[in-house]
């Protein structure tokens, strides 16, 4: 997608602090972090939201995204204190960038329910 900022980050056309990359998945630090650790994990491929994932992509990409999250949890030392993984989907979910992404948040106590 030409105008997608996350596609541009994935293609390295826009700078970001990349912390993980594999064939299908890339992770980078959020530009406006809401926690001491705030990383976004996305597929390279442009998929607008969880609603648009097809069955094949669900089987392949979701496990890879969670493998990436697992690796980041280890690498960033988040296991002991805990962390939160969030996907905002659609307008009511609070999604602002239409390229599927999972937030990995850590480094402070999270509130529940979310706003
Ligand atoms: P969401 O509201 O779930 O769609 O999350 C979008 C996230 O993308 C927000 O946390 C933004 O701060 C983040 N974001 C927007 N532009 C960039 C960028 N250029 N680099 C890194 N993160 C970004």
């Amino acid at each position: 997608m030409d105008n997608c900022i996350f596609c541009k980050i994935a293609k390295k056309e826009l700078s970001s602090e990349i912390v993980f990359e594999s064939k299908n998945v890339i992770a980078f630090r959020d530009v406006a972090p809401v926690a001491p650790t705030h990383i976004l994990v996305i597929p390279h491929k442009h998929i607008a939201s969880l609603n648009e994932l097809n069955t094949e992509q669900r089987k392949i990409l979701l496990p890879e995204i969670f493998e990436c999250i697992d690796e980041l949890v280890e690498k960033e030392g988040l296991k002991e204190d805990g962390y939160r993984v969030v996907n905002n989907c659609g307008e009511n979910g609070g999604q602002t960038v239409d390229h599927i992404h999972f937030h990995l948040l850590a480094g402070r106590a999270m509130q529940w329910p979310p706003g």
Side-chain angles (χ1 to χ4, degrees):
M1 282 284 281
D2 290 349
N3 280 329
C4 172
I5 47 173
F6 287 179
C7 283
K8 286 183 181 160
I9 287 173
K11 286 190 218 147
K12 321 276 168 49
E13 291 169 7
L14 199 64
S15 83
S16 70
E17 191 183 339
I18 293 167
V19 291
F20 174 97
E21 186 162 17
S22 65
K23 185 168 156 263
N24 292 320
V25 172
I26 186 164
F28 50 93
R29 295 200 190 274
D30 197 292
V31 76
V34 297
T37 300
H38 188 170
I39 294 170
L40 300 172
V41 182
I42 70 168
H44 280 275
K45 185 176 171 54
H46 183 87
I47 299 165
S49 78
L50 268 188
N51 285 337
E52 276 72 39
L53 267 184
N54 66 32
T55 309
E56 193 62 17
Q57 290 165 339
R58 257 174 226 280
K59 277 192 211 148
I60 293 170
L61 289 179
L62 289 184
E64 286 192 28
I65 284 169
F66 279 87
E67 276 163 28
C68 164
I69 290 170
D70 265 0
E71 201 168 310
L72 290 169
V73 164
E74 277 298 332
K75 210 157 80 182
E76 303 266 326
L78 309 178
K79 207 167 233 174
E80 194 175 316
D81 287 345
Y83 52 91
R84 183 173 287 178
V85 177
V86 174
N87 172 263
N88 297 325
C89 181
E91 199 177 333
N92 276 2
Q95 183 175 5
T96 59
V97 176
D98 289 337
H99 182 132
I100 191 169
H101 52 281
F102 289 79
H103 299 254
L104 172 61
L105 300 158
R108 65 168 173 83
M110 304 291 157
Q111 305 298 309
W112 194 264

